[in-house]
Amino acid sequence: MTANAPVFQGRQVAIANNLITLSGGGMPHQNPFGFSAKLDKPFITRSAEIFIPIDVWNTAALFFLTTLPAQPGARSEPYYFDLEIAWSIPENAKPAHFRIKAVATNTKPAGVQNPVFSATVEFRVEG
C-alpha cells in the first residue's frame, strides 16, 4: 500500500516488527502500530472519555495516509474500530460491544505543496 501512495513519494517507508519507519526528509521517524489493545481503567463511572491507543491509531493513520484520494474534499473508505467494554461489577456482567466507523476527508487545499497531507477524521458509533 505504501509503495503506491502519493503522500510517500520521495520518502522511504519500512514496515517491520509492528514498527513503521519513515525517512527521506530529515531524521527517520518511527511509529509503533498494532491491531488491538487492552486498556484497564480502575474506576467506576457512568461515562468517561476513552482514547484510541496510539499503536491502534497509528494503524488507522497509515490506512488513511495510503488510501485517501488526493482531491480536496474526497473521502476515504471507512476504517472500523471494534470496542468491547467489560465491567467487573456486578459479577459476570456481559460486556458491551461497539463498532466505530472512521472516515477521513481530504482537507489539503488544491495546488499547495505543504502540508503534504491534511485531513479530518469523522467517528460514528454504529452499535
Side-chain angles (χ1 to χ4, degrees), residues 7 9 31 33 36 45 59 62 78 101 113 122:
V7 74
Q9 296 294 319
N31 278 320
F33 72 96
S36 66
T45 182
T59 305
L62 182 63
K101 177 182 178 181
Q113 295 297 319
E122 175 187 330

Side-chain angles (χ1 to χ4, degrees), residues 27-51:
M27 296 284 293
H29 183 74
Q30 294 184 325
N31 278 320
F33 72 96
F35 294 98
S36 66
K38 181 178 179 179
L39 299 175
D40 293 321
K41 297 292 179 184
F43 57 86
I44 301 172
T45 182
R46 293 290 261 162
S47 67
E49 287 186 356
I50 210 88
F51 299 95

Side-chain angles (χ1 to χ4, degrees), residues 12-70:
Q12 296 173 338
V13 180
I15 300 175
N17 300 325
N18 293 344
L19 190 68
I20 305 162
T21 304
L22 302 173
S23 54
M27 296 284 293
H29 183 74
Q30 294 184 325
N31 278 320
F33 72 96
F35 294 98
S36 66
K38 181 178 179 179
L39 299 175
D40 293 321
K41 297 292 179 184
F43 57 86
I44 301 172
T45 182
R46 293 290 261 162
S47 67
E49 287 186 356
I50 210 88
F51 299 95
I52 300 168
I54 191 68
D55 293 10
V56 175
W57 172 248
N58 286 339
T59 305
L62 182 63
F63 172 82
F64 293 133
L65 279 167
T66 57
T67 63
L68 186 64

